[in-house]
Amino acid sequence: MPVQARKSSRLEDPGAEFLDRARSVWEVYGKASLIGLGAVAAIGAIAFLAMRARGTAETTAAGKLGEANVLYWEGDYARSLETARQIAQQYVSSPSGWDAHRLAGDDAYMLGDTKTAVSEYRAYLEHQKSGLLADAARRSLAYALEANGQYAEAATSYLGLVGRFDRESSAEFLSAAARCYRAARQPAEAAKVLRRLMDEFGDTSFANRAEIGLGELSNAAR
């Protein structure tokens, strides 16, 4: 068969044409696919190492936070505060690092530094927005705000806690809110809160105090 005829039959062969196209597709896309798979594998490896590093950091932070808690319960608030602050600064993205702000707030409050306590509780609540510990921190924040003379904000914080704990605690928060409104020279708001206490929590030990408080407000308004 002439050379020209052989070339023609080769080019017209469907199987050969398919193989040629497959080879071309591999040259264009196959290598790119391998590169893509390699990139995915690299990203997965980096993510795994990052997660392992975070786990190790959290374990270390939790151990240090435990030591700071022991110092707190031993009454060594100054050392506990120093340790808690170091943990919060060193482990910024760790749950124990966030919780260290709450402990620092407790330490500062016990040391009489209510301004720092307010700041630390707020830092904790920026990360922890729900749950029992978050509600406990909100209660501590309300106490710290009141102690720091921020009465209007403290009253709002107390009111936000009503219904989150037991009935006796809710009545206590209403009583505290009324106290803060009186300190902020807002007697009408204080009376409103005391009436709510009597209406909704009349079975608690704070109901009698609320009645007395309303009487005092009425006499002062005359």
Side-chain angles (χ1 to χ4, degrees), residues 109-184:
Y109 186 88
M110 296 303 292
L111 289 169
D113 186 356
T114 55
K115 183 177 180 180
T116 297
V118 168
S119 177
E120 292 293 347
Y121 289 136
R122 282 176 171 162
Y124 170 73
L125 289 169
E126 286 180 5
H127 298 286
Q128 193 69 35
K129 301 184 184 299
S130 62
L132 185 60
L133 283 179
D135 285 339
R138 290 188 181 93
R139 177 175 59 188
S140 297
L141 174 60
Y143 293 148
L145 286 167
E146 182 180 5
N148 199 46
Q150 297 171 252
Y151 299 119
E153 190 174 355
T156 301
S157 296
Y158 281 127
L159 291 175
L161 290 167
V162 176
R164 292 183 176 272
F165 295 88
D166 57 90
R167 290 181 58 78
E168 192 72 15
S169 295
S170 291
E172 177 191 354
F173 298 143
L174 287 170
S175 180
R179 181 175 66 243
C180 289
Y181 278 131
R182 293 184 69 174

Side-chain angles (χ1 to χ4, degrees), residues 6-210:
R6 286 201 302 270
K7 287 184 179 180
S8 297
S9 64
R10 176 70 178 82
L11 292 173
E12 293 171 359
D13 185 354
E17 184 178 357
F18 174 79
L19 291 175
D20 288 339
R21 289 181 180 178
R23 188 178 301 108
S24 298
V25 170
W26 167 253
E27 289 294 329
V28 176
Y29 299 105
K31 294 179 181 178
S33 298
L34 283 179
I35 293 172
L37 289 173
V40 170
I43 292 171
I46 292 171
F48 171 76
L49 292 173
M51 289 178 63
R52 187 169 66 178
R54 284 198 295 271
T56 302
E58 169 57 19
T59 300
T60 304
K64 292 184 178 181
L65 185 61
E67 296 173 5
N69 272 295
V70 170
L71 291 171
Y72 174 85
W73 291 111
E74 289 178 347
D76 195 346
Y77 305 120
R79 287 180 61 198
S80 179
L81 174 60
E82 181 182 359
T83 303
R85 279 181 160 176
Q86 289 175 353
I87 296 168
Q89 292 171 2
Q90 187 173 356
Y91 302 96
V92 179
S93 300
S94 166
S96 291
W98 304 337
D99 199 41
H101 285 293
R102 181 181 58 82
L103 179 59
D106 291 344
D107 288 319
Y109 186 88
M110 296 303 292
L111 289 169
D113 186 356
T114 55
K115 183 177 180 180
T116 297
V118 168
S119 177
E120 292 293 347
Y121 289 136
R122 282 176 171 162
Y124 170 73
L125 289 169
E126 286 180 5
H127 298 286
Q128 193 69 35
K129 301 184 184 299
S130 62
L132 185 60
L133 283 179
D135 285 339
R138 290 188 181 93
R139 177 175 59 188
S140 297
L141 174 60
Y143 293 148
L145 286 167
E146 182 180 5
N148 199 46
Q150 297 171 252
Y151 299 119
E153 190 174 355
T156 301
S157 296
Y158 281 127
L159 291 175
L161 290 167
V162 176
R164 292 183 176 272
F165 295 88
D166 57 90
R167 290 181 58 78
E168 192 72 15
S169 295
S170 291
E172 177 191 354
F173 298 143
L174 287 170
S175 180
R179 181 175 66 243
C180 289
Y181 278 131
R182 293 184 69 174
R185 298 183 180 181
Q186 299 182 44
E189 290 298 322
K192 179 181 177 180
V193 171
L194 290 174
R195 291 192 189 95
R196 178 186 174 187
L197 195 164
M198 294 176 63
D199 291 342
E200 298 181 19
F201 302 95
D203 58 329
T204 66
S205 63
F206 288 89
N208 289 335
R209 303 182 197 180

